[in-house]
Amino acid sequence: MSDMEEPISAFAAYNISKQKTKTLQKFKNGKNSLKKTLGGKIKKVAHVQPLVHSQAKRGALRKKLQNFSTSKKNIGSVVMIEEDLDNEGAEEYSLVNGGRNLNKVKKIKKLKSFPLKQLEKEEENYLEEGYNEKCSGEEEEPSLNGRNNKVVLARGNMACDHIKADVTKVALVNGSTNNTSIPSKKIRKGALKPNSKKTGASSRRHSLRVITKKTSVKLVPLSPPSNTIRTNSIVEGKRTFEWLLNPVKVEDFFAKYWESKSCFVKRQQNNYFSHLISFEAIDQMLLQNHLEFTKNVDVTHYENDKRDTLNPDGRALPPNVWDHYSQGCSIRLLNPQTYLPNLYTLNTALQEYFHCLVGANAYLTPPNSQGFAPHYDDIEAFVLQIEGRKRWKLYKPRQSEEILARFSSGNFSQEEIGKPIFEKVLQPGDVLYFPRGTIHQAKTEPGFHSLHITLSVYQKQSYADLLEKMVPLMLEKAIKNNVDLRRGLPLDSWHLAGIAHNSHGSKERLCLEKKIKQLLNECMKGVNLTDVMDSAFDQLAKKYQREALPPEILAAEKLRTVFGSRTCTDERGECLCDYEIEERTNVRLLRANILRLVEEEGKMRIYYYSDNSKVYCEYESTFIEIKDSQAASIEVLIKSYPEYVSVSQLPMEQSEEKINLTQALWERGLLMFEKPFH
């Protein structure tokens, strides 16, 4: 791979292929001179007359535009096929590589006569259409000339780049692949316009003849930095999950597999996950960071029904780690996303979608070896095979209480688990999902080592965990409202109940049981269930604020958040800030789940994770206390996301109070301006 260009992600390739066919860009200062072509070159085009029905005029226009681009270009591994100006037909995208048909069909109408400015407007709208659509696997390029032309979308550069969603319209120039994401809505001048429906002018596609040749591409921003960021972190997280499962649809996954049975995604793309971690990346991670055995690295070995943990003391330096590996031991890396940027990007995107911590462990196992005994875990597991081959065996839970287990098990012997219900060899690019409580074990194939990542989600995220929060709250409220709950127990109760008296069948014991059942029923009836439920969910969300990874701040977001702010001093040594918050300033939350409003101890508090460490729970929970009168403003910000809210719209009486609250949130990295402050 050293002498090859890094392949681009599926979303990036698809967006490029849709945008590459558009040759008309905005005309600067209202002049009909084309400043930038889709190839990234500067070129001027003679004054173009409005398009008319005349065939002669149309032919003249075609001839001029053919001079603009006459070569065949390749975008990564996506080939753009010649499109005819007059052809009328339909596009059909078919997922050939072991998936289902997308069957997207769009009519292409004949070119009609309308002003050039209208054509430019339609081209801008169509650029956004390419971003809002999705495709995966191997697709067919639009068959405008009656031929089916297969297009393979490379995936070596993960969806992390498109997840970042920098606010850009793009142009293509020679170089490597950069960010390709374009938000689905823009409202400011110069930005892409909303395109919620593909009707009217925006649905008409007038493609100019463009033949491309093999070359690498790089995406660079064309739009001014004042473009509005409207990406939704939950939607971006779902897109990441779609990339992870492709070609399995997210809706199908939750309907058929989630918390019920395993799902195995087989691919023929060895580099699908290669950007996340590698043998070489682990070596550099150990060398450049202070990782310790037991805390960050485990050395394990399993043989003859026995698992051993062989952790030395102290720092895990490469020579020591690789010495254990060469002796047949497995290496487990705990929370490697702390040190690996691409894995960190993946996890931060997914945690917004799952509304919980998304953890990761990496496992490096030598050939013909096994590091762990059969066991089950208390998490929903996604195994991403990075390198080598590993044979996985899954077993059904032994008892009903182990289904969707709330706690991880100990080690089982081979005799305890019976025969496997699933047995497959995972190869690079493959994904295996199985629910919590599923007994599993894995061993490398002879002659192959293995490197895989296990993503973990939904730990302690069940109804049982919710009720564990609710019941104490219900009891606390009931005790305040019911004096019978505060009355003393009968004097002889010690002799009526307990393990030594459970066979006591006296009348007094029966009366005691009846009284307790009555009080429990009164607890349920006397408490507002809605209030208790809301408080319990807030407590679960508060736990997430402690565990979550800090947000990854994108380049476009730095221009709008405290993370890009710079402070200096004037000639008298006074502090000068480079931002100013006014009533007309528009703001929104940085992420959908960046904060949680919680009422506890009689106070209103905002818990947030922007100050968290990448190291799991390294710091205590962070929160700020606000006045009760300010809580409604926080609710407005939460419910308005991903839209922006003017400071003047916050429901508080005093303008100064509105500005002070906004500034307090912005300076903690919780809010983002609509416009860059530089």
Side-chain angles (χ1 to χ4, degrees):
M1 294 293 293
S2 60
D3 57 345
M4 297 176 61
E5 294 289 344
E6 184 180 9
I8 60 180
S9 69
F11 268 85
Y14 182 65
N15 287 334
I16 295 169
S17 66
K18 300 294 285 185
Q19 297 165 11
K20 188 75 173 177
T21 58
K22 306 294 108 183
T23 58
L24 292 181
Q25 300 289 337
K26 289 189 174 181
F27 287 74
K28 187 175 181 181
N29 300 326
K31 296 180 181 180
N32 295 340
S33 58
L34 193 59
K35 293 294 184 182
K36 286 195 176 182
T37 72
L38 291 179
K41 300 177 181 178
I42 305 299
K43 223 173 194 182
K44 288 192 176 182
V45 178
H47 184 79
V48 181
Q49 296 296 332
L51 299 175
V52 294
H53 280 294
S54 169
Q55 187 66 29
K57 292 276 188 179
R58 187 178 301 172
L61 175 60
R62 185 197 304 277
K63 186 174 181 180
K64 290 180 180 179
L65 292 174
Q66 282 177 339
N67 294 331
F68 156 63
S69 179
T70 59
S71 60
K72 183 178 180 183
K73 296 181 180 179
N74 183 29
I75 308 173
S77 59
V78 181
V79 180
M80 298 296 300
I81 306 300
E82 170 181 1
E83 296 183 1
D84 191 88
L85 185 66
D86 299 322
N87 245 349
E88 181 175 356
E91 293 183 356
E92 181 173 350
Y93 295 87
S94 176
L95 187 58
V96 179
N97 190 16
R100 51 182 61 84
N101 291 333
L102 299 182
N103 293 328
K104 294 187 177 180
V105 178
K106 298 179 182 178
K107 293 285 180 73
I108 301 175
K109 298 183 178 181
K110 289 186 177 180
L111 189 63
K112 294 184 178 181
S113 174
F114 49 87
L116 186 58
K117 289 185 178 180
Q118 185 177 346
L119 176 61
E120 298 167 7
K121 181 179 179 181
E122 293 179 17
E123 295 295 338
E124 295 172 22
N125 290 339
Y126 183 66
L127 280 175
E128 190 179 11
E129 289 182 28
Y131 176 76
N132 291 330
E133 297 174 9
K134 64 180 181 179
C135 71
S136 56
E138 186 175 334
E139 301 196 348
E140 291 187 4
E141 190 66 15
S143 180
L144 299 182
N145 52 9
R147 300 188 300 268
N148 289 329
N149 305 287
K150 290 186 178 179
V151 177
V152 180
L153 301 183
R155 300 184 180 277
N157 195 20
M158 208 273 285
C160 295
D161 287 338
H162 85 264
I163 296 165
K164 293 182 180 178
D166 289 280
V167 188
T168 57
K169 192 192 296 181
V170 299
L172 305 177
V173 297
N174 292 334
S176 60
T177 303
N178 199 0
N179 197 321
T180 65
S181 293
I182 305 173
S184 58
K185 293 182 180 179
K186 311 280 190 304
I187 62 171
R188 304 202 64 80
K189 184 177 180 181
L192 299 179
K193 300 179 180 179
N195 186 28
S196 58
K197 295 183 180 180
K198 297 179 181 179
T199 59
S202 64
S203 66
R204 292 196 293 269
R205 303 175 51 196
H206 305 280
S207 300
L208 301 170
R209 179 169 304 196
V210 179
I211 304 177
T212 63
K213 68 179 181 179
K214 188 172 183 179
T215 184
S216 57
V217 297
K218 181 180 181 180
L219 300 177
V220 296
L222 281 182
S223 300
S226 61
N227 277 348
T228 303
I229 298 178
R230 294 194 182 279
T231 53
N232 186 319
S233 60
I234 296 176
V235 174
E236 292 301 309
K238 182 179 180 180
R239 287 176 178 167
T240 305
F241 194 45
E242 289 173 342
W243 168 84
L244 188 75
L245 292 178
N246 179 65
V248 178
K249 292 183 178 179
V250 171
E251 293 76 13
D252 292 340
F253 171 78
F254 282 107
K256 298 177 182 178
Y257 304 106
W258 178 252
E259 292 189 329
S260 60
K261 59 183 178 181
S262 62
C263 176
F264 177 46
V265 181
K266 184 71 175 175
R267 294 194 180 97
Q268 299 295 331
Q269 294 177 270
N270 293 346
N271 62 351
Y272 202 85
F273 299 122
S274 61
H275 61 286
L276 296 177
I277 192 173
S278 65
F279 197 104
E280 293 76 11
I282 295 174
D283 185 72
Q284 290 299 308
M285 181 178 70
L286 296 172
L287 189 63
Q288 297 174 5
N289 302 278
H290 187 93
L291 276 68
E292 297 182 359
F293 288 107
T294 304
K295 179 182 179 181
N296 308 109
V297 179
D298 281 331
V299 178
T300 66
H301 185 67
Y302 175 78
E303 191 173 13
N304 298 326
D305 258 5
K306 182 183 178 182
R307 176 201 157 179
D308 294 317
T309 301
L310 308 173
N311 290 344
D313 294 329
R315 181 178 175 183
L317 284 167
N320 199 354
V321 173
W322 301 138
D323 180 58
H324 284 89
Y325 176 80
S326 64
Q327 297 179 32
C329 296
S330 290
I331 308 300
R332 176 169 65 177
L333 304 173
L334 306 175
N335 301 311
Q337 67 272 14
T338 304
Y339 309 100
L340 300 175
N342 287 336
L343 186 56
Y344 164 69
T345 300
L346 175 67
N347 286 22
T348 53
L350 290 175
Q351 74 180 8
E352 285 291 298
Y353 179 61
F354 282 100
H355 296 72
C356 68
L357 170 70
V358 177
N361 286 337
Y363 299 82
L364 181 63
T365 308
N368 198 28
S369 179
Q370 183 170 338
F372 295 86
H375 67 283
Y376 63 74
D377 297 309
D378 60 345
I379 50 94
E380 302 296 304
F382 294 88
V383 178
L384 316 182
Q385 189 68 25
I386 312 295
E387 297 177 1
R389 298 182 182 181
K390 204 165 196 178
R391 181 175 296 274
W392 282 80
K393 296 180 182 180
L394 306 182
Y395 306 81
K396 66 180 181 181
R398 303 171 304 160
Q399 307 170 35
S400 60
E401 56 263 32
E402 294 179 351
I403 299 174
L404 299 179
R406 300 189 63 222
F407 304 96
S408 297
S409 73
N411 297 328
F412 297 124
S413 65
Q414 300 296 332
E415 290 74 19
E416 290 180 284
I417 58 179
K419 295 182 179 180
I421 58 175
F422 172 93
E423 183 174 355
K424 293 289 183 181
V425 175
L426 267 65
Q427 299 184 32
D430 294 346
V431 178
L432 175 62
Y433 159 80
F434 50 87
R436 56 191 185 275
T438 302
I439 301 173
H440 56 277
Q441 63 176 329
K443 184 177 182 179
T444 50
E445 291 285 275
F448 292 92
H449 79 291
S450 173
L451 174 60
H452 80 265
I453 292 173
T454 297
L455 298 179
S456 58
V457 302
Y458 254 58
Q459 186 180 45
K460 302 291 185 270
Q461 196 88 344
S462 67
Y463 281 104
D465 298 292
L466 176 66
L467 290 174
E468 283 184 344
K469 301 288 185 182
M470 286 184 63
V471 171
L473 294 174
M474 293 171 60
L475 186 59
E476 180 183 356
K477 291 182 178 294
I479 291 172
K480 291 180 180 179
N481 300 329
N482 192 338
V483 67
D484 287 339
L485 290 170
R486 302 195 296 270
R487 297 189 188 279
L489 294 169
L491 289 177
D492 58 347
S493 58
W494 297 145
H495 302 285
L496 298 176
I499 192 171
H501 305 282
N502 59 7
S503 60
H504 201 298
S506 65
K507 180 179 178 181
E508 290 80 5
R509 178 183 171 91
L510 294 176
C511 290
L512 181 61
E513 290 179 356
K514 183 178 179 180
K515 179 66 175 179
I516 291 174
K517 289 179 181 178
Q518 177 186 347
L519 292 175
L520 286 175
N521 289 332
E522 291 178 1
C523 285
M524 292 291 296
K525 293 178 181 179
V527 173
N528 187 327
L529 185 61
T530 300
D531 291 343
V532 174
M533 181 183 70
D534 291 337
S535 298
F537 270 105
D538 284 339
Q539 291 300 315
L540 285 180
K542 171 185 169 182
K543 173 175 168 284
Y544 167 70
Q545 298 298 325
R546 167 87 190 283
E547 296 175 340
L549 287 166
E552 181 181 27
I553 308 302
L554 310 178
E557 293 172 337
K558 283 187 177 180
L559 301 175
R560 297 161 170 82
T561 62
V562 68
F563 304 104
S565 175
R566 296 294 180 268
T567 304
C568 60
T569 57
D570 60 13
E571 56 187 11
R572 294 177 296 179
E574 295 182 355
C575 182
L576 299 176
C577 298
D578 58 356
Y579 63 90
E580 182 178 5
I581 298 176
E582 304 171 325
E583 276 199 281
R584 61 182 180 179
T585 303
N586 295 334
V587 296
R588 73 162 201 176
L589 295 181
L590 179 63
R591 297 286 183 271
N593 300 314
I594 193 72
L595 58 80
R596 188 75 182 191
L597 182 63
V598 178
E599 182 180 7
E600 57 184 8
E601 299 178 6
K603 301 176 181 178
M604 300 301 297
R605 291 173 176 171
I606 300 173
Y607 285 86
Y608 57 94
Y609 69 74
S610 59
D611 288 344
N612 285 8
S613 168
K614 289 184 180 181
V615 177
Y616 176 70
C617 289
E618 184 177 17
Y619 308 137
E620 292 298 322
S621 299
T622 52
F623 65 88
I624 54 177
E625 291 185 356
I626 61 173
K627 301 177 182 177
D628 292 349
S629 60
Q630 297 173 323
S633 297
I634 304 302
E635 184 178 346
V636 168
L637 291 169
I638 293 173
K639 293 183 177 180
S640 298
Y641 182 89
E643 301 300 325
Y644 289 85
V645 177
S646 172
V647 174
S648 63
Q649 294 177 302
L650 298 180
M652 290 182 284
E653 294 182 0
Q654 301 297 325
S655 298
E656 183 179 0
E657 189 177 10
K658 298 178 182 180
I659 294 174
N660 289 341
L661 177 62
T662 303
Q663 184 166 330
L665 298 176
W666 189 86
E667 290 179 349
R668 286 167 174 80
L670 307 180
L671 296 183
M672 176 170 62
F673 292 155
E674 182 180 27
K675 297 180 180 179
F677 50 81
H678 287 296

